[in-house]
Every structure is written in C-alpha cells, then in structure tokens.
Amino acid sequence: MNDRFKDFFEVTGKALKESFAKLNKVYIAFIVILIRAFYQNYRFTGMFSRSMAGGLLNYFIDAAMLCFVAQALRSIIVYGNSGKKSIGNSLSNFLNPILRTVFYTYLLQMMIGTFQSGFSFSLYMLLLVGFEILFSAMLEEVYINGKAGIDAIKSSAKFVCDNIIPYGLFSLIFIIIEVYFSYNFTFQLAFGLEKAAYILLFAIIQLFFYVVRGHMFKYLNDHPYRQRKFMRS
C-alpha cells in the first residue's frame, strides 16, 4: 500500500510538471471551458426548458461544447500546442464519438436516478460519486485513445479500477471541489459580479484538473503499474 501512495505522488508530480510546462498553451482550452461553465450554470438554473425538447437541446449543446473541450485538450496533451489552428475542427473530429458517449452516460445516469427513492440520501450520493469516479476517464478515452460510446465508458471504468489510487483519488478530489462550487454558484448566489467571479474561478479549477488529469491519463496509459514500480526500484 505504501508503494501505491508513493506511486500516486510520483505520477501526480509528473503530470503537474508536464502541465505547468504548457501553461502558455492553455488559453484556448480556458476559453471553451469558461463558456461551458457559464452554460452549465444557466442549464442548472432553468435557462432551458426541462421538457423533452429542452432535454434534447441540452444533450446536443452539452455534446457540442464537450467537442471543443476535447479538441483543445488533445492539442495540449497529445500534440503540445494551444490548438488555435485546430479548434475549428472540433465538431468534425469529435461530434460523433462524443454524441455516442454522452448518450450512454445519460442512460446510465437515468438508471441510477431510479434508485433515488429506494436509497437513503447518503447511500444515493455514494452511488453518484462512485459513478462519477468510474467514468471520470471517459473524455480522455475519447480524445487520447479514440474510443467512443459504450467502449469509452467500459474502458474508463477499467482504467480507473486499474489506477484507483493515482487517477481515482485525483478524480475524487476534483469531484468534491466541483460539487462544492456547482452548488454555491448555482443555488446560493443570484447572478451578478460575485457569481461571475465564482464561475470564473470554477473554470480555472476545471482547466487545471482537466489538463493535469489528461497528462496523468497519458502517462498511466503508457506505463502500467508494474512498469512504474520496476522503474522506481
């Protein structure tokens, strides 16, 4: 177990080092993540109808925004550039795989939602957190490994289970922060400068975790635990 935590700090250190080395290349990713953060706030506060048509609209808008996030992150993580020249290809590159993946994610969320009435609140929240952790590598599976749909979801779950300490723990930290910020800027604040500042800060935190997690995924994907353990010895 000690080696597992040693592995966590080593992998996180490498991911942080790679991320800080590319700080001058994250501005495109920050812009698209900030736009998505504002959209998420409006979606949760009822800007769009909660009818079937509104849900369908949210599905396509969310998928389209994830395409731009995926393209910007691939430029940084995989190719080491800002993505300024390729961001216009986001929809053509990722719309199909993202739509398929988000579709199955929504189905799983709906299935989990059916357990809400039968479980206590704490148990239901644990189920939701477990769901978020298992599928936290879904976006990386799409833009790094080229997976889509149910394959991306299954691969994400397997990857997280194989790397539960470095990647799963890091994802859990991000999920806790994300829930805290989402609750505060969505339900506790009326729209204004304070709320805009919260959303801006949240976008910066999201950018940080997305970029570090992307580098972490790439390193873990290329170097299994046994290989990393051997390299440390």
Side-chain angles (χ1 to χ4, degrees):
M1 184 59 73
N2 286 339
D3 188 72
R4 290 285 182 175
F5 284 105
K6 188 186 295 184
D7 184 56
F8 169 77
F9 289 113
E10 181 182 284
V11 171
T12 304
K14 288 181 182 295
L16 286 168
K17 184 178 178 181
E18 284 287 330
S19 301
F20 284 116
K22 296 174 182 175
L23 274 180
N24 61 330
K25 297 179 173 67
V26 301
Y27 57 93
I28 297 294
F30 174 67
I31 291 169
V32 297
I33 288 171
L34 179 61
I35 293 170
R36 186 166 180 259
F38 273 99
Y39 160 72
Q40 287 177 315
N41 171 70
Y42 282 121
R43 184 184 67 181
F44 289 137
T45 51
M47 177 183 179
F48 299 107
S49 168
R50 296 194 177 187
S51 64
M52 184 178 293
L56 194 61
L57 179 63
N58 281 327
Y59 166 68
F60 282 107
I61 293 175
D62 197 31
M65 288 190 171
L66 271 177
C67 292
F68 287 92
V69 173
Q71 180 64 55
L73 290 174
R74 182 167 75 168
S75 297
I76 298 167
I77 308 301
V78 179
Y79 300 114
N81 61 63
S82 67
K84 182 172 62 176
K85 295 181 179 179
S86 60
I87 195 68
N89 300 322
S90 301
L91 295 178
S92 59
N93 287 340
F94 288 109
L95 185 59
N96 181 267
I98 290 288
L99 277 174
R100 289 162 57 196
T101 307
V102 170
F103 172 74
Y104 285 108
T105 306
Y106 278 8
L107 283 182
L108 288 168
Q109 286 174 337
M110 288 171 61
M111 289 173 60
I112 290 174
T114 61
F115 296 111
Q116 186 171 6
S117 58
F119 289 170
S120 65
F121 177 76
S122 57
L123 189 58
Y124 178 67
M125 289 305 296
L126 281 175
L127 187 64
L128 283 179
V129 170
F131 172 87
E132 292 292 336
I133 292 173
L134 276 180
F135 304 124
S136 59
M138 183 188 71
L139 192 60
E140 286 80 10
E141 289 288 354
V142 173
Y143 77 80
I144 293 177
N145 283 344
K147 301 286 180 68
I150 197 69
D151 286 339
I153 290 171
K154 289 192 298 184
S155 295
S156 173
K158 184 180 184 306
F159 176 84
V160 172
C161 289
D162 289 344
N163 299 281
I164 193 65
I165 295 296
Y167 195 89
L169 183 57
F170 191 78
S171 292
L172 176 61
I173 294 168
F174 175 50
I175 289 165
I176 292 170
I177 294 172
E178 188 175 35
V179 168
Y180 171 80
F181 271 86
S182 296
Y183 178 79
N184 277 279
F185 76 61
T186 301
F187 302 111
Q188 299 297 312
L189 298 173
F191 195 81
L193 287 177
E194 188 178 1
K195 188 168 193 173
Y198 250 92
I199 296 173
L200 177 63
L201 180 58
F202 178 62
I204 293 171
I205 292 170
Q206 269 198 323
L207 174 69
F208 170 78
F209 275 95
Y210 273 135
V211 173
V212 175
R213 202 167 64 179
H215 283 113
M216 184 181 287
F217 178 93
K218 189 171 182 292
Y219 180 76
L220 292 170
N221 198 48
D222 294 338
H223 302 86
Y225 174 69
R226 286 185 180 180
Q227 183 182 353
R228 300 194 306 271
K229 187 175 182 179
F230 176 77
M231 290 164 64
R232 281 194 297 274
S233 62

